[in-house]
Amino acid sequence: MFKSKIMLFVFIPFLMAAQNQKLSVYELKQDLTVFKEIREKANSGLYKYRTKQQTDSIYSWAFSQINEPKALLDFYKIILKITDFEGSLHNDTTLPENFQNKFSSGNVFFPYPVKLIEDKLIVNFRNTEIPLGSEIFSINKIKTKELLASFYKYYTTDGYNISGKSIGIAGSFARYFEMEYGSQKKFLVEYSLPDKSQKLLKTITGVSNEIRKENFKNRHSLPIDSLQYGKIKNKYSFKVITPNTSLLTINTFAIGNNAEDKEHLAYKKHLDSCFQYLSNNLQIKNLIVDVRNNGGGTDPNDILTFSYLTQKPYRENAEAYVNFQEIPFPNYLVYEETEPQKQHEERKDFEEEIKEEFPKLENGKYIQDEKFNALLQPDKNSFKGQIYLLISPRIASAGSLFASLATGRTNAIVIGEETMGGYYGHNGHTPVEYELPNSKIKTQFSIVNLEQDVPKKANQIFGRGIIPDREVRQTLEDFLKNKDTQFEYTLKLIEQK
């Protein structure tokens, strides 16, 4: 249950010779047919946000696009559009490894990191050509709104969510641009200076992939968003920040692999000590829980953490199910093992685990056994004061499951921006990966369709991320100062109360 798409989309555009190779109409239609049948048989979330009629419609569109031979990249974009349309942040579609391992030659990447601030595309790098904080209106005469919409398919989110796509766009803007519009030696940028309305034009030169990556490492916003991209070293922390307020920060739930893992047990011990301290110091009436950088992780870290915030029994899921007990289309499955006999054993072990957890067929669904979704109890030292939950578009998977429980089943005042992970549920837990026979495109998705154990709330919309009670976004002024807008807002709110 982990969301780290920035690292998963490792495509580096391939050489011109490879670009000119095309798949025949027969090969394209065969791959698209296999792709469609796999989703219908194995993907329990296929109709979670889209009706069968809507899904059939996008496949009709896809088939209409392959009436002549196509380059692999063009077919890849069609597949991406379908996987994004399904609405699951656990959907991943990648090009063949031999294509991914090839580099573009020359300086063809947009040179400067960007960031979405108040829905505007802002330069996120100090340079001498287009000043930091400038708003970009178009690049090579392509309007920003059109640019952003064309990039959405490269970074999937739950349901109809758009806010979470800002994470992918900020992290991979130059690569998305190259993939979508081809290699560019020059970029004609229409922009305005910070807090100015006059539009200016500047032609800037493309850079190599190495310089692109180096510039991103040196982006202006690094002090604020470093934990949203790359490896997280400080996974969690706790501190008392005023006599009546404490801060619990959980940057990831990738804390050990299971309940017996030493890292998980150390985390549990840490939580025990933190909440015992709070229980013994009743003057601390406010707890800020900051999960803004939490892209997910592993069970049971998310539901364990929630036990320290709730006063009532709870479950992880209201319902969970899969579509199958025996893996459909095993000949297209991507195995960890390489030997046929070991692959057979790997598949059988997987199917036995599925049959144990999802034993009963009801209305075409294999329902999760209750022993895997037990009724859980609050911790004896669970916090009884006021909770302030800080959220952001980065929150996904196990991070959004935890945030949903805290939003729906505690007194938390939720502050920040809509998450990319859904409030009511998602597809997660167990990923499978298939490889299409001709294009060798790989497609991965999670097979467990789960409804989270949260109540309906008027401000929580099906198909959207968690909606904050108080939407607080970074302004351009705060961006330029690298100011933590949501955290400072929360401290002021506590002070006023």
Side-chain angles (χ1 to χ4, degrees):
M1 299 178 70
F2 185 64
K3 172 76 171 182
S4 184
K5 282 277 182 54
I6 293 302
M7 304 308 294
L8 287 172
F9 279 115
V10 294
F11 170 79
I12 303 296
F14 38 91
L15 302 177
M16 285 301 296
Q19 285 180 327
N20 292 331
Q21 293 176 359
K22 293 189 176 182
L23 295 159
S24 70
V25 172
Y26 173 81
E27 290 172 322
L28 295 167
K29 288 187 174 181
Q30 184 184 33
D31 272 19
L32 185 56
T33 299
V34 168
F35 181 85
K36 181 174 185 286
E37 291 177 349
I38 287 171
R39 312 304 274 206
E40 289 173 340
K41 294 288 186 182
N43 186 2
S44 60
L46 184 61
Y47 305 121
K48 191 176 185 74
Y49 302 107
R50 309 291 186 180
T51 64
K52 186 177 187 306
Q53 184 179 7
Q54 289 171 325
T55 303
D56 289 344
S57 178
I58 195 169
Y59 275 103
S60 294
W61 165 82
F63 276 106
S64 75
Q65 301 301 301
I66 53 176
N67 50 14
E68 61 182 13
K70 279 190 178 297
L72 175 58
L73 181 57
D74 293 328
F75 182 59
Y76 176 64
K77 292 177 185 177
I78 293 172
I79 297 295
L80 283 179
K81 200 166 184 66
I82 297 171
T83 53
D84 179 50
F85 184 78
E86 287 176 0
S88 174
L89 60 82
H90 289 101
N91 282 359
D92 287 306
T93 304
T94 54
L95 286 156
E97 288 182 11
N98 63 322
F99 278 54
Q100 292 182 5
N101 291 334
K102 294 178 181 177
F103 289 82
S104 284
S105 58
N107 300 323
V108 297
F109 290 98
F110 189 80
Y112 304 130
V114 296
K115 190 165 187 174
L116 286 168
I117 304 293
E118 298 179 303
D119 299 323
K120 298 174 182 178
L121 190 64
I122 302 298
V123 175
N124 188 16
F125 187 78
R126 292 191 182 278
N127 67 91
T128 59
E129 295 183 304
I130 303 179
L132 172 71
S134 296
E135 179 182 354
I136 296 174
F137 297 99
S138 70
I139 300 176
N140 290 351
K141 298 184 178 181
I142 307 167
K143 298 295 184 184
T144 294
K145 186 175 181 180
E146 181 184 343
L147 275 177
L148 297 179
S150 71
F151 294 165
Y152 286 166
K153 61 181 173 287
Y154 295 107
Y155 196 87
T156 57
T157 52
D158 278 346
Y160 320 117
N161 173 269
I162 298 298
S163 66
K165 294 180 184 293
S166 65
I167 302 298
I169 289 169
S172 300
F173 181 86
R175 291 194 285 125
Y176 291 173
F177 193 102
E178 205 276 354
M179 193 182 298
E180 186 69 15
Y181 299 104
S183 298
Q184 311 284 329
K185 295 287 186 180
K186 302 284 185 180
F187 298 89
L188 177 64
V189 183
E190 183 184 30
Y191 68 99
S192 65
L193 298 174
D195 294 323
K196 304 291 183 182
S197 59
Q198 181 185 2
K199 292 184 179 180
L200 306 171
L201 285 174
K202 173 76 76 172
T203 298
I204 59 177
T205 303
V207 297
S208 67
N209 192 50
E210 290 74 20
I211 293 176
R212 175 196 71 81
K213 290 190 288 187
E214 193 63 26
N215 286 350
F216 184 72
K217 289 178 184 178
N218 294 308
R219 64 193 180 277
H220 167 74
S221 64
L222 183 66
I224 290 293
D225 61 21
S226 63
L227 296 177
Q228 294 183 357
Y229 306 97
K231 189 174 181 179
I232 294 175
K233 294 180 180 179
N234 300 317
K235 296 185 177 182
Y236 51 87
S237 64
F238 175 84
K239 60 183 176 181
V240 178
I241 54 177
T242 72
N244 69 349
T245 302
S246 286
L247 169 65
L248 175 66
T249 302
I250 312 152
N251 293 318
T252 179
F253 284 125
I255 309 170
N257 296 318
N258 52 54
E260 287 74 41
D261 193 289
K262 289 182 180 180
E263 191 180 4
H264 166 79
L265 295 175
Y267 176 58
K268 185 178 188 305
K269 185 176 180 180
H270 172 78
L271 289 175
D272 283 337
S273 64
C274 294
F275 284 89
Q276 185 173 355
Y277 177 85
L278 291 173
S279 183
N280 293 335
N281 291 271
L282 298 180
Q283 76 274 16
I284 301 177
K285 300 183 182 299
N286 306 295
L287 176 63
I288 302 171
V289 181
D290 186 355
V291 289
R292 286 176 294 171
N293 297 300
N294 198 315
T298 52
D299 287 336
N301 297 299
D302 47 359
I303 53 176
L304 167 69
T305 309
F306 181 67
S307 71
Y308 293 91
L309 303 183
T310 185
Q311 314 306 319
K312 297 178 180 179
Y314 64 99
R315 297 181 191 274
E316 180 176 6
N317 309 315
E319 179 189 61
Y321 66 87
V322 298
N323 275 6
F324 63 85
Q325 288 183 330
E326 296 182 358
I327 296 177
F329 304 101
N331 50 319
Y332 300 120
L333 196 69
V334 176
Y335 294 89
E336 292 183 8
E337 300 289 347
T338 55
E339 297 178 12
Q341 181 57 37
K342 289 186 176 181
Q343 288 180 349
H344 177 76
E345 292 171 3
E346 179 185 335
R347 178 161 60 91
K348 288 301 179 185
D349 289 344
F350 180 85
E351 290 174 345
E352 285 176 10
E353 290 176 6
I354 292 295
K355 288 174 183 177
E356 181 184 7
E357 184 170 354
F358 302 92
K360 191 176 180 182
L361 181 63
E362 294 181 6
N363 299 319
K365 305 173 183 177
Y366 291 96
I367 306 298
Q368 186 181 45
D369 190 279
E370 191 169 317
K371 70 181 180 181
F372 293 92
N373 187 33
L375 186 68
L376 303 171
Q377 299 298 322
D379 188 85
K380 64 181 179 180
N381 289 318
S382 63
F383 184 70
K384 296 175 177 61
Q386 179 62 58
I387 299 168
Y388 297 84
L389 180 69
L390 304 189
I391 64 171
S392 81
R394 182 67 184 94
I395 297 174
S397 195
S400 57
L401 188 148
F402 166 79
S404 296
L405 290 173
T407 298
R409 296 201 172 277
T410 74
N411 68 354
I413 298 172
V414 185
I415 298 167
E417 299 177 75
E418 180 185 354
T419 66
M420 77 168 81
Y423 172 78
Y424 289 104
H426 64 273
N427 260 59
H429 290 296
T430 308
V432 295
E433 186 173 41
Y434 288 89
E435 183 178 270
L436 302 182
N438 301 307
S439 64
K440 303 303 178 183
I441 288 172
K442 291 181 181 178
T443 178
Q444 184 182 99
F445 53 92
S446 290
I447 65 172
V448 182
N449 190 328
L450 58 94
E451 301 301 322
Q452 288 155 190
D453 186 26
V454 294
K456 289 186 177 181
K457 298 186 74 174
N459 69 325
Q460 300 301 332
I461 304 164
F462 178 76
R464 295 277 299 277
I466 301 161
I467 309 294
D469 299 315
R470 303 189 181 216
E471 184 180 44
V472 180
R473 301 199 290 175
Q474 193 179 48
T475 63
L476 179 61
E477 181 182 358
D478 289 352
F479 163 75
L480 291 172
K481 295 177 181 178
N482 268 329
K483 185 176 176 181
D484 191 339
T485 309
Q486 293 92 1
F487 186 68
E488 292 192 15
Y489 174 92
T490 305
L491 292 180
K492 288 179 181 178
L493 182 64
I494 292 171
E495 192 176 304
Q496 290 168 3
K497 289 197 172 187

